[in-house]
Amino acid sequence: MTAFPSPSRLLPPAYRPLFAHRDFRRLLPALAACDLGDGMSMVAVAWTALAIAPPGRAGLLVGAAVAAYALPGAAGALLLGRWLRRLPAWRLLAADSWLRAVLLGCVPLAWALGELRPAGYVALLAGSSVLHAWGGAGKYALLARVLPAGQRLAANALVSSSGSAAVIVGPALAGFMAAAVSPAWIIGLDAASFAVLAVRAGRLGSRKRTTGQDTAEDTAEGTADDATDSAPAPVDTGQAAAGRRLLRGQPELLAILALTWFFNFLYGPVEVALPLHVTGDLHAGARLLGLYWTLFGAGAVLGALCAGALRRLPLWPVTLGIVAGWGLTLVPFGLGAPAAVTLACFSLGGVIYGPFTALSFTLFQDRTPAALLTTVLAARGAALLTAAPVGTALGGPLTAALGPRTVLAASGLATLVLAATTATARALGTAHRTDGSAGDPAPAEPGAPS
């Protein structure tokens, strides 16, 4: 009789030891459920806004709702450090999860009672996201506590892959569900997933505090737990200030940072304009919106996996090519292309967009002395927190005034201008250094011949 291998045997060898840890084994499904809930909310948040928007105000409400789901988290990361930075990781994760569970859970309750109004809806979304950056910091600090140092990279990769997979599955699932139930109930499922995570995080914390119930791994690590039990701040403001001083003397790193900020900023309006394009221009439903985001997510995963191969190419030209390529994929929306064409463009855009973050970090790593890297990356994080949320908030009024097709195309054209402007400035700077007027020659591109 043929014996079937155990499920753990089907995993790559690097991931098998993770499931020997009871805490990680129990935490991962809760994290994955929250990722799936957030993936579904990519469709449900905008679709609920469309369902309750007053006539002629859909663009403004969708923009406000999508921004409210993200922007307060950036403000919370910067403003709440004095009170939150010393809390244990499990408390941060539990607090964020409970806040999201309660406030997001009020959305379907208000819908069922017929009391879901635009202002209240935006307020609930905004309140639910205030601690989300701290919850993310707590999540990764908690993983560092429950796992030995040698297994943390594999754990981080597995958790990140869960988020990427949710971008593929969640929007499609929400699109199909929205055809049968109100999208407000889908937000309720997201709330339920955060309640499960809050309970799981609380149990991890209570087990740690109870004498004699620590796992063997906890006991073996001893005082190492004390170093990782408090979550790092999402943005260390002291480090960020020092990093800003260093960046002022690094023109190339400032150029990378400016490019990334404007790229993320110009992406923001897409999250507002796309749902309105689906409903207003294509006269379609949530399934089509879910399909757009699913294809984008699948393309982004594929593009990110290919980022390692791109390491052999000059990183600056490739990064600028990504910016320009993403802009080009948005232009057909403004030309009135049929849905089949724009779906293909959006999935291609995901492939192009996918490697950008990895390449941007690589440029920082290659251009920054190792002793200063943490400080410079803290400044980078502080600067980029506002980019996409501010762009999303601006997308609402722009879409209301100009229409979704125009905003999608304008975002693409502005992104093309950004790539061309950066390339021109970089070429002029390189020519200036070659002439000897700026001192030392420019460093060779990583991966390029010397």
Side-chain angles (χ1 to χ4, degrees):
M1 185 174 179
T2 304
F4 291 98
S6 65
S8 62
R9 293 284 182 182
L10 303 177
L11 295 169
Y15 296 104
R16 292 173 192 169
L18 298 175
F19 294 90
H21 297 271
R22 179 174 59 178
D23 289 343
F24 179 80
R25 199 168 58 240
R26 293 179 175 178
L27 185 62
L28 183 62
L31 293 174
C34 289
D35 288 336
L36 180 60
D38 280 343
M40 292 192 295
S41 289
M42 291 178 68
V43 171
V45 166
W47 213 254
T48 302
L50 288 171
I52 65 173
R57 310 286 287 180
L60 292 172
L61 184 57
V62 170
V66 174
Y69 202 55
L71 191 57
L78 294 170
L79 300 177
L80 299 179
R82 179 182 302 177
W83 299 277
L84 299 180
R85 69 173 68 252
R86 298 304 179 191
L87 288 181
W90 70 268
R91 284 191 185 277
L92 285 176
L93 182 58
D96 171 52
S97 299
W98 277 125
L99 183 65
R100 290 174 76 82
V102 171
L103 294 186
L104 293 179
C106 289
V107 173
L109 178 61
W111 174 273
L113 296 174
E115 296 297 331
L116 187 60
R117 303 288 185 264
Y121 179 55
V122 171
L124 288 172
L125 294 176
S128 75
S129 69
V130 167
L131 297 181
H132 203 41
W134 289 96
K139 174 174 69 175
Y140 284 100
L142 189 58
L143 291 175
R145 184 181 73 79
V146 302
L147 293 170
Q151 296 177 14
R152 290 169 188 165
L153 177 60
N156 290 338
L158 193 60
V159 171
S160 297
S161 298
S162 169
S164 298
V167 175
I168 300 172
V169 178
L173 182 59
F176 281 101
M177 291 179 64
V181 300
S182 163
W185 294 109
I186 300 174
I187 296 176
L189 292 177
D190 194 12
S193 72
F194 277 104
V196 172
L197 179 58
V199 171
R200 175 54 56 198
R203 288 179 177 175
L204 286 178
S206 63
R207 274 208 323 113
K208 179 176 173 58
R209 297 194 312 273
T210 303
T211 302
Q213 290 187 351
D214 287 341
T215 62
E217 296 85 24
D218 291 335
T219 304
E221 289 188 27
T223 58
D225 269 352
D226 297 332
T228 56
D229 197 39
S230 293
V235 175
D236 187 327
T237 52
Q239 286 272 54
R244 285 193 292 271
R245 290 193 294 270
L246 291 170
L247 282 172
R248 283 195 287 269
Q250 298 280 346
E252 187 172 30
L253 292 183
L254 281 176
I256 299 166
L257 182 59
L259 175 68
T260 306
W261 196 95
F262 281 105
F263 189 36
N264 291 347
F265 169 75
L266 292 173
Y267 167 80
V270 173
E271 294 195 356
V272 179
L274 185 62
L276 295 167
H277 171 66
V278 169
T279 56
D281 299 327
L282 301 179
H283 306 291
R287 289 187 182 182
L288 182 59
L289 178 61
L291 183 58
Y292 272 106
W293 285 119
T294 297
L295 292 176
F296 175 85
V301 170
L302 177 61
L305 292 175
C306 294
L310 294 176
R311 183 65 181 83
R312 303 172 185 173
L313 299 175
L315 293 180
W316 254 113
V318 172
T319 301
L320 290 174
I322 289 172
V323 175
W326 167 251
L328 282 172
T329 63
L330 294 179
V331 173
F333 284 91
L335 301 177
V341 173
T342 54
L343 280 168
C345 289
F346 212 60
S347 59
L348 176 61
V351 175
I352 295 170
Y353 195 100
F356 181 82
T357 299
L359 291 173
S360 175
F361 271 112
T362 302
L363 281 166
F364 265 84
Q365 291 164 343
D366 287 341
R367 301 298 196 266
T368 307
L372 305 177
L373 183 59
T374 302
T375 301
V376 169
L377 290 181
R380 178 189 184 275
L384 295 180
L385 272 174
T386 58
V390 170
T392 301
L394 184 61
L398 286 176
T399 304
L402 304 175
R405 278 181 176 164
T406 302
V407 169
L408 287 166
S411 175
L413 291 173
T415 305
L416 284 169
V417 171
L418 173 65
T421 302
T422 306
T424 301
R426 182 165 167 76
L428 291 174
T430 301
H432 185 61
R433 289 191 295 269
T434 302
D435 289 340
S437 56
D440 296 333
E445 292 287 353
S450 302

